[in-house]
Amino acid sequence: MPHSNHRRRHRQIECFRAQFAQADPSAFTAVLSEERLEDALRQEGAVWREQVFTPVLTLWAFLTQVLSADGSCRAAVARALAWLAAAGRPAASAKTDPYCKARQRLPEALFSRLTRETGRALQDELPDEWLWKGRRVKVADGSTASMPDTPANQREYPQSPSQQPGLGFPLARVVVVFSLACGAVLDAAVGRYQGKRTGENSLLRTLHEAFAPGDVLLADRYYAGYFDLALLHARGVGVVVRKHQLRPTDFRRGRRLGHDDHVVLWDKPPRPSWLDEATYRELPGWLILREVRVRVRQSGFRTKTLVVVTTLLDLTITAADLAELYRARWHAELDLRALKVTLGMDVLRCKSPAMVRKELWAHLLVYNLIRTVMAQAARAHDLRPRELSFTGALQTLTAFAGLLGDAAAPDRQALYDRLLAAVASHRVGDRPDRVEPRARKRRPKDYPHLKAPRGQARNFRYAKS
């Protein structure tokens, strides 16, 4: 029986990898290899007695549920039953209870571990020509995700205080660290939307281990505080951020390097409450920083000027280089859009905080698997991953997934090569500094907004009738 169980698990892992196009063992060292998946399951304790929904099948069903436009547990179970039938396995119940219970048994750390490992493995295999000045640039940005209005979710992730009880939805704040070169998620942090130490910069401080000496953090002005720059600089990490609007800039002062380009000193401010005394004493009394004014085209011939501040003092890096790099920060916004809109992470479906976090990490893992395929396609066709369409890659991968799962081993490589060619054909336009109005032409249905909890509104309507 142990040998039978091992063979069954091996077949499920092979199907799992084929469904996500991880069929080429030489491509990026098989990011989601059988060994990596087996090791993660074992290390995180995702092992239980043999039944229909094994850990591998449950993980596969959960990730395909995230990919599916339907997103329901019933559809996920239906896909699992179809796979069991195709594999010649005995029929199982179509009820969702066993699957939902199996999802609950999967450790939350399994999803975060696989996401980090796939992202970092992809980052480590980047060709030198994809790097910026020989450095790995990592982009950080934050967003929010809503979830069902349950008491447990409200306790863990309370809704916005501007909304009345029963009329809002729980909100979680998410900060994600992306690879600028390939778009992979390298790490993420989840917290409450409001409260002490729940801001984006506070969450990013919990992710400093994602940055290695020599890396460069690229971020907006929310992360431009003295201590955020100083803590990363102490780790040997370069920082390029937009200067906060409340901090004045005078290019007549400091050591001038060129027009609207100088080096200045920032004095250390008093210790904030979140920073311990020992760490505060270890930080330098000032930071030597470079400030550069850059111009960003908004629309037509209009331009917007802003100041970029950096800890990178290498004078071979020109002001134009810094301006071009900061404009690339917009990729983080596009990556978040891919997660929230294309993959549907904007509105989560699970009803308990633990499952919400698993669902969120499942979105990030699926996103990394798609980014892996895009990187393979880019490398095979002499392109950059940022030149390829994420939505086009997802559509192509979805169309090919069933064929890859059913293909015989000798035919799978040729089919996989055609998949990569199709992914590489979906290019995005070169549209630097493009700005669109944050408005929609199509009007939504003109339904009134709830002004009382749904149960109260229902009872009030029945009472009137």
PDB file of all heavy atoms in Angstrom, residues 7 25 55 72 78 81-82 89 126 137 156 199 232 256 260 295-296 319 341 357 391 403 421 427 440 449 455 465:
ATOM      1  N   ARG A   7       2.833   6.027  -5.726  1.00  0.00           N
ATOM      2  CA  ARG A   7       2.613   6.121  -7.174  1.00  0.00           C
ATOM      3  C   ARG A   7       1.423   7.024  -7.474  1.00  0.00           C
ATOM      4  O   ARG A   7       1.460   7.817  -8.419  1.00  0.00           O
ATOM      5  CB  ARG A   7       2.392   4.728  -7.769  1.00  0.00           C
ATOM      6  CG  ARG A   7       3.656   3.900  -7.878  1.00  0.00           C
ATOM      7  CD  ARG A   7       3.438   2.707  -8.774  1.00  0.00           C
ATOM      8  NE  ARG A   7       2.395   1.822  -8.266  1.00  0.00           N
ATOM      9  CZ  ARG A   7       2.620   0.805  -7.449  1.00  0.00           C
ATOM     10  NH1 ARG A   7       3.862   0.553  -7.054  1.00  0.00           N
ATOM     11  NH2 ARG A   7       1.632   0.035  -7.034  1.00  0.00           N
ATOM     12  N   PRO A  25      11.553  20.113 -17.893  1.00  0.00           N
ATOM     13  CA  PRO A  25      12.417  20.072 -16.710  1.00  0.00           C
ATOM     14  C   PRO A  25      13.623  20.987 -16.802  1.00  0.00           C
ATOM     15  O   PRO A  25      14.215  21.312 -15.787  1.00  0.00           O
ATOM     16  CB  PRO A  25      12.850  18.599 -16.656  1.00  0.00           C
ATOM     17  CG  PRO A  25      12.704  18.122 -18.056  1.00  0.00           C
ATOM     18  CD  PRO A  25      11.560  18.867 -18.639  1.00  0.00           C
ATOM     19  N   PRO A  55      -3.606  15.705  -0.219  1.00  0.00           N
ATOM     20  CA  PRO A  55      -3.052  17.065  -0.209  1.00  0.00           C
ATOM     21  C   PRO A  55      -2.771  17.617  -1.599  1.00  0.00           C
ATOM     22  O   PRO A  55      -3.054  18.779  -1.884  1.00  0.00           O
ATOM     23  CB  PRO A  55      -1.764  16.900   0.608  1.00  0.00           C
ATOM     24  CG  PRO A  55      -2.041  15.758   1.521  1.00  0.00           C
ATOM     25  CD  PRO A  55      -2.888  14.824   0.729  1.00  0.00           C
ATOM     26  N   SER A  72     -16.352  28.847  -7.685  1.00  0.00           N
ATOM     27  CA  SER A  72     -17.130  28.178  -6.638  1.00  0.00           C
ATOM     28  C   SER A  72     -16.493  26.856  -6.250  1.00  0.00           C
ATOM     29  O   SER A  72     -15.759  26.231  -7.029  1.00  0.00           O
ATOM     30  CB  SER A  72     -18.566  27.937  -7.111  1.00  0.00           C
ATOM     31  OG  SER A  72     -18.584  27.005  -8.178  1.00  0.00           O
ATOM     32  N   ALA A  78     -16.241  19.534  -9.174  1.00  0.00           N
ATOM     33  CA  ALA A  78     -16.577  18.935 -10.463  1.00  0.00           C
ATOM     34  C   ALA A  78     -15.310  18.683 -11.286  1.00  0.00           C
ATOM     35  O   ALA A  78     -15.184  17.641 -11.943  1.00  0.00           O
ATOM     36  CB  ALA A  78     -17.534  19.853 -11.223  1.00  0.00           C
ATOM     37  N   LEU A  81     -13.605  15.644  -9.809  1.00  0.00           N
ATOM     38  CA  LEU A  81     -14.303  14.401 -10.185  1.00  0.00           C
ATOM     39  C   LEU A  81     -14.000  14.030 -11.629  1.00  0.00           C
ATOM     40  O   LEU A  81     -13.844  12.845 -11.955  1.00  0.00           O
ATOM     41  CB  LEU A  81     -15.808  14.572  -9.984  1.00  0.00           C
ATOM     42  CG  LEU A  81     -16.289  14.764  -8.544  1.00  0.00           C
ATOM     43  CD1 LEU A  81     -17.811  14.867  -8.500  1.00  0.00           C
ATOM     44  CD2 LEU A  81     -15.817  13.627  -7.648  1.00  0.00           C
ATOM     45  N   ALA A  82     -13.932  15.038 -12.500  1.00  0.00           N
ATOM     46  CA  ALA A  82     -13.606  14.761 -13.902  1.00  0.00           C
ATOM     47  C   ALA A  82     -12.204  14.170 -14.011  1.00  0.00           C
ATOM     48  O   ALA A  82     -11.968  13.242 -14.802  1.00  0.00           O
ATOM     49  CB  ALA A  82     -13.725  16.045 -14.721  1.00  0.00           C
ATOM     50  N   ARG A  89     -10.164   6.302 -11.594  1.00  0.00           N
ATOM     51  CA  ARG A  89     -10.372   6.151 -10.160  1.00  0.00           C
ATOM     52  C   ARG A  89     -11.850   5.976  -9.859  1.00  0.00           C
ATOM     53  O   ARG A  89     -12.713   6.396 -10.627  1.00  0.00           O
ATOM     54  CB  ARG A  89      -9.837   7.387  -9.422  1.00  0.00           C
ATOM     55  CG  ARG A  89      -8.354   7.639  -9.607  1.00  0.00           C
ATOM     56  CD  ARG A  89      -7.540   6.752  -8.691  1.00  0.00           C
ATOM     57  NE  ARG A  89      -7.920   6.999  -7.324  1.00  0.00           N
ATOM     58  CZ  ARG A  89      -7.501   8.013  -6.571  1.00  0.00           C
ATOM     59  NH1 ARG A  89      -6.650   8.889  -7.114  1.00  0.00           N
ATOM     60  NH2 ARG A  89      -7.883   8.170  -5.329  1.00  0.00           N
ATOM     61  N   LEU A 126      17.324  34.814 -13.501  1.00  0.00           N
ATOM     62  CA  LEU A 126      17.202  35.876 -14.494  1.00  0.00           C
ATOM     63  C   LEU A 126      18.509  36.063 -15.259  1.00  0.00           C
ATOM     64  O   LEU A 126      19.588  36.104 -14.655  1.00  0.00           O
ATOM     65  CB  LEU A 126      16.831  37.195 -13.816  1.00  0.00           C
ATOM     66  CG  LEU A 126      15.458  37.280 -13.144  1.00  0.00           C
ATOM     67  CD1 LEU A 126      15.273  38.641 -12.500  1.00  0.00           C
ATOM     68  CD2 LEU A 126      14.351  37.012 -14.141  1.00  0.00           C
ATOM     69  N   VAL A 137      16.215  44.759  -9.126  1.00  0.00           N
ATOM     70  CA  VAL A 137      15.303  45.788  -8.642  1.00  0.00           C
ATOM     71  C   VAL A 137      14.006  45.109  -8.207  1.00  0.00           C
ATOM     72  O   VAL A 137      13.434  44.309  -8.953  1.00  0.00           O
ATOM     73  CB  VAL A 137      15.022  46.844  -9.725  1.00  0.00           C
ATOM     74  CG1 VAL A 137      14.049  47.895  -9.198  1.00  0.00           C
ATOM     75  CG2 VAL A 137      16.316  47.496 -10.187  1.00  0.00           C
ATOM     76  N   GLU A 156     -11.113  40.014  12.587  1.00  0.00           N
ATOM     77  CA  GLU A 156      -9.705  39.988  12.159  1.00  0.00           C
ATOM     78  C   GLU A 156      -9.359  41.159  11.238  1.00  0.00           C
ATOM     79  O   GLU A 156      -8.284  41.745  11.351  1.00  0.00           O
ATOM     80  CB  GLU A 156      -9.422  38.666  11.444  1.00  0.00           C
ATOM     81  CG  GLU A 156      -7.963  38.414  11.143  1.00  0.00           C
ATOM     82  CD  GLU A 156      -7.188  37.922  12.353  1.00  0.00           C
ATOM     83  OE1 GLU A 156      -7.831  37.543  13.359  1.00  0.00           O
ATOM     84  OE2 GLU A 156      -5.950  37.921  12.289  1.00  0.00           O
ATOM     85  N   GLY A 199      -0.089  50.377   8.353  1.00  0.00           N
ATOM     86  CA  GLY A 199       0.149  51.047   7.078  1.00  0.00           C
ATOM     87  C   GLY A 199       1.055  50.239   6.172  1.00  0.00           C
ATOM     88  O   GLY A 199       1.687  49.253   6.585  1.00  0.00           O
ATOM     89  N   LEU A 232      16.896  50.026   5.387  1.00  0.00           N
ATOM     90  CA  LEU A 232      17.266  49.267   4.192  1.00  0.00           C
ATOM     91  C   LEU A 232      18.711  49.551   3.792  1.00  0.00           C
ATOM     92  O   LEU A 232      19.445  48.646   3.376  1.00  0.00           O
ATOM     93  CB  LEU A 232      16.317  49.616   3.047  1.00  0.00           C
ATOM     94  CG  LEU A 232      14.911  49.015   3.183  1.00  0.00           C
ATOM     95  CD1 LEU A 232      13.936  49.676   2.224  1.00  0.00           C
ATOM     96  CD2 LEU A 232      14.945  47.505   2.933  1.00  0.00           C
ATOM     97  N   ARG A 256      26.014  70.101  -5.789  1.00  0.00           N
ATOM     98  CA  ARG A 256      25.308  70.059  -7.055  1.00  0.00           C
ATOM     99  C   ARG A 256      26.001  69.114  -8.031  1.00  0.00           C
ATOM    100  O   ARG A 256      27.221  69.160  -8.213  1.00  0.00           O
ATOM    101  CB  ARG A 256      25.237  71.471  -7.661  1.00  0.00           C
ATOM    102  CG  ARG A 256      24.395  71.534  -8.921  1.00  0.00           C
ATOM    103  CD  ARG A 256      24.265  72.955  -9.436  1.00  0.00           C
ATOM    104  NE  ARG A 256      23.466  72.990 -10.651  1.00  0.00           N
ATOM    105  CZ  ARG A 256      23.211  74.074 -11.359  1.00  0.00           C
ATOM    106  NH1 ARG A 256      23.709  75.240 -10.942  1.00  0.00           N
ATOM    107  NH2 ARG A 256      22.487  74.028 -12.451  1.00  0.00           N
ATOM    108  N   ASP A 260      18.937  70.460 -11.398  1.00  0.00           N
ATOM    109  CA  ASP A 260      17.932  69.742 -10.592  1.00  0.00           C
ATOM    110  C   ASP A 260      18.448  68.372 -10.162  1.00  0.00           C
ATOM    111  O   ASP A 260      17.726  67.366 -10.193  1.00  0.00           O
ATOM    112  CB  ASP A 260      16.612  69.589 -11.364  1.00  0.00           C
ATOM    113  CG  ASP A 260      15.879  70.921 -11.524  1.00  0.00           C
ATOM    114  OD1 ASP A 260      16.236  71.875 -10.814  1.00  0.00           O
ATOM    115  OD2 ASP A 260      14.957  70.985 -12.353  1.00  0.00           O
ATOM    116  N   ARG A 295      10.687  64.510 -14.865  1.00  0.00           N
ATOM    117  CA  ARG A 295       9.450  64.936 -15.508  1.00  0.00           C
ATOM    118  C   ARG A 295       8.756  63.741 -16.118  1.00  0.00           C
ATOM    119  O   ARG A 295       9.382  62.953 -16.840  1.00  0.00           O
ATOM    120  CB  ARG A 295       9.746  66.005 -16.565  1.00  0.00           C
ATOM    121  CG  ARG A 295      10.187  67.331 -15.961  1.00  0.00           C
ATOM    122  CD  ARG A 295      10.700  68.318 -16.999  1.00  0.00           C
ATOM    123  NE  ARG A 295      10.978  69.620 -16.374  1.00  0.00           N
ATOM    124  CZ  ARG A 295      12.086  69.900 -15.703  1.00  0.00           C
ATOM    125  NH1 ARG A 295      13.018  68.964 -15.568  1.00  0.00           N
ATOM    126  NH2 ARG A 295      12.258  71.084 -15.158  1.00  0.00           N
ATOM    127  N   VAL A 296       7.475  63.626 -15.828  1.00  0.00           N
ATOM    128  CA  VAL A 296       6.674  62.509 -16.308  1.00  0.00           C
ATOM    129  C   VAL A 296       5.553  63.075 -17.166  1.00  0.00           C
ATOM    130  O   VAL A 296       4.816  63.969 -16.732  1.00  0.00           O
ATOM    131  CB  VAL A 296       6.092  61.694 -15.139  1.00  0.00           C
ATOM    132  CG1 VAL A 296       5.257  60.545 -15.660  1.00  0.00           C
ATOM    133  CG2 VAL A 296       7.216  61.175 -14.251  1.00  0.00           C
ATOM    134  N   ALA A 319      21.021  61.036 -14.021  1.00  0.00           N
ATOM    135  CA  ALA A 319      19.675  61.474 -13.663  1.00  0.00           C
ATOM    136  C   ALA A 319      18.639  60.858 -14.597  1.00  0.00           C
ATOM    137  O   ALA A 319      17.532  60.501 -14.173  1.00  0.00           O
ATOM    138  CB  ALA A 319      19.595  63.000 -13.701  1.00  0.00           C
ATOM    139  N   VAL A 341      -7.776  42.209 -10.723  1.00  0.00           N
ATOM    140  CA  VAL A 341      -8.803  42.229 -11.757  1.00  0.00           C
ATOM    141  C   VAL A 341      -8.769  40.951 -12.590  1.00  0.00           C
ATOM    142  O   VAL A 341      -9.774  40.247 -12.710  1.00  0.00           O
ATOM    143  CB  VAL A 341      -8.633  43.471 -12.650  1.00  0.00           C
ATOM    144  CG1 VAL A 341      -9.688  43.477 -13.767  1.00  0.00           C
ATOM    145  CG2 VAL A 341      -8.739  44.749 -11.822  1.00  0.00           C
ATOM    146  N   ARG A 357      -6.659  34.116   4.146  1.00  0.00           N
ATOM    147  CA  ARG A 357      -5.221  34.242   3.894  1.00  0.00           C
ATOM    148  C   ARG A 357      -4.736  33.151   2.941  1.00  0.00           C
ATOM    149  O   ARG A 357      -3.888  33.397   2.068  1.00  0.00           O
ATOM    150  CB  ARG A 357      -4.456  34.204   5.209  1.00  0.00           C
ATOM    151  CG  ARG A 357      -4.651  35.452   6.071  1.00  0.00           C
ATOM    152  CD  ARG A 357      -3.717  35.466   7.251  1.00  0.00           C
ATOM    153  NE  ARG A 357      -4.029  34.421   8.215  1.00  0.00           N
ATOM    154  CZ  ARG A 357      -4.877  34.548   9.222  1.00  0.00           C
ATOM    155  NH1 ARG A 357      -5.517  35.694   9.407  1.00  0.00           N
ATOM    156  NH2 ARG A 357      -5.089  33.541  10.066  1.00  0.00           N
ATOM    157  N   THR A 391      -2.622  38.833 -19.328  1.00  0.00           N
ATOM    158  CA  THR A 391      -3.940  38.289 -19.666  1.00  0.00           C
ATOM    159  C   THR A 391      -3.835  37.329 -20.841  1.00  0.00           C
ATOM    160  O   THR A 391      -4.472  36.260 -20.840  1.00  0.00           O
ATOM    161  CB  THR A 391      -4.913  39.427 -19.994  1.00  0.00           C
ATOM    162  OG1 THR A 391      -4.998  40.316 -18.878  1.00  0.00           O
ATOM    163  CG2 THR A 391      -6.303  38.885 -20.304  1.00  0.00           C
ATOM    164  N   LEU A 403      -4.983  20.014 -22.791  1.00  0.00           N
ATOM    165  CA  LEU A 403      -4.198  19.251 -23.762  1.00  0.00           C
ATOM    166  C   LEU A 403      -2.900  18.765 -23.145  1.00  0.00           C
ATOM    167  O   LEU A 403      -2.478  17.633 -23.384  1.00  0.00           O
ATOM    168  CB  LEU A 403      -3.906  20.126 -24.980  1.00  0.00           C
ATOM    169  CG  LEU A 403      -5.115  20.595 -25.791  1.00  0.00           C
ATOM    170  CD1 LEU A 403      -4.673  21.548 -26.899  1.00  0.00           C
ATOM    171  CD2 LEU A 403      -5.872  19.411 -26.368  1.00  0.00           C
ATOM    172  N   ALA A 421       5.299  29.623 -27.726  1.00  0.00           N
ATOM    173  CA  ALA A 421       5.245  30.489 -28.904  1.00  0.00           C
ATOM    174  C   ALA A 421       3.972  31.323 -28.909  1.00  0.00           C
ATOM    175  O   ALA A 421       3.988  32.502 -29.275  1.00  0.00           O
ATOM    176  CB  ALA A 421       5.335  29.640 -30.173  1.00  0.00           C
ATOM    177  N   ARG A 427       1.946  40.488 -27.289  1.00  0.00           N
ATOM    178  CA  ARG A 427       2.799  41.582 -26.839  1.00  0.00           C
ATOM    179  C   ARG A 427       1.957  42.722 -26.283  1.00  0.00           C
ATOM    180  O   ARG A 427       0.798  42.907 -26.669  1.00  0.00           O
ATOM    181  CB  ARG A 427       3.651  42.127 -27.987  1.00  0.00           C
ATOM    182  CG  ARG A 427       4.359  41.060 -28.808  1.00  0.00           C
ATOM    183  CD  ARG A 427       5.597  40.520 -28.135  1.00  0.00           C
ATOM    184  NE  ARG A 427       6.264  39.526 -28.962  1.00  0.00           N
ATOM    185  CZ  ARG A 427       7.140  39.825 -29.918  1.00  0.00           C
ATOM    186  NH1 ARG A 427       7.456  41.089 -30.145  1.00  0.00           N
ATOM    187  NH2 ARG A 427       7.701  38.873 -30.625  1.00  0.00           N
ATOM    188  N   ARG A 440     -15.282  55.255 -15.896  1.00  0.00           N
ATOM    189  CA  ARG A 440     -15.843  54.247 -16.777  1.00  0.00           C
ATOM    190  C   ARG A 440     -16.924  54.876 -17.653  1.00  0.00           C
ATOM    191  O   ARG A 440     -17.704  55.720 -17.203  1.00  0.00           O
ATOM    192  CB  ARG A 440     -16.453  53.092 -15.974  1.00  0.00           C
ATOM    193  CG  ARG A 440     -15.440  52.292 -15.173  1.00  0.00           C
ATOM    194  CD  ARG A 440     -16.067  51.077 -14.549  1.00  0.00           C
ATOM    195  NE  ARG A 440     -17.153  51.435 -13.633  1.00  0.00           N
ATOM    196  CZ  ARG A 440     -17.929  50.550 -13.015  1.00  0.00           C
ATOM    197  NH1 ARG A 440     -17.753  49.261 -13.233  1.00  0.00           N
ATOM    198  NH2 ARG A 440     -18.875  50.925 -12.187  1.00  0.00           N
ATOM    199  N   HIS A 449     -28.580  51.854  -2.903  1.00  0.00           N
ATOM    200  CA  HIS A 449     -27.621  51.275  -1.966  1.00  0.00           C
ATOM    201  C   HIS A 449     -28.336  50.862  -0.691  1.00  0.00           C
ATOM    202  O   HIS A 449     -29.305  51.495  -0.266  1.00  0.00           O
ATOM    203  CB  HIS A 449     -26.526  52.289  -1.627  1.00  0.00           C
ATOM    204  CG  HIS A 449     -25.627  52.575  -2.783  1.00  0.00           C
ATOM    205  ND1 HIS A 449     -24.709  53.598  -2.781  1.00  0.00           N
ATOM    206  CD2 HIS A 449     -25.491  51.959  -3.986  1.00  0.00           C
ATOM    207  CE1 HIS A 449     -24.063  53.605  -3.927  1.00  0.00           C
ATOM    208  NE2 HIS A 449     -24.516  52.623  -4.673  1.00  0.00           N
ATOM    209  N   GLY A 455     -30.690  41.847   6.457  1.00  0.00           N
ATOM    210  CA  GLY A 455     -31.799  41.221   7.191  1.00  0.00           C
ATOM    211  C   GLY A 455     -32.840  42.238   7.629  1.00  0.00           C
ATOM    212  O   GLY A 455     -34.058  41.993   7.520  1.00  0.00           O
ATOM    213  N   SER A 465     -45.223  45.433   2.891  1.00  0.00           N
ATOM    214  CA  SER A 465     -46.145  44.758   1.989  1.00  0.00           C
ATOM    215  C   SER A 465     -47.249  44.048   2.770  1.00  0.00           C
ATOM    216  O   SER A 465     -48.288  43.770   2.228  1.00  0.00           O
ATOM    217  CB  SER A 465     -45.378  43.756   1.121  1.00  0.00           C
ATOM    218  OG  SER A 465     -44.764  42.767   1.931  1.00  0.00           O
TER     219      SER A 465
END
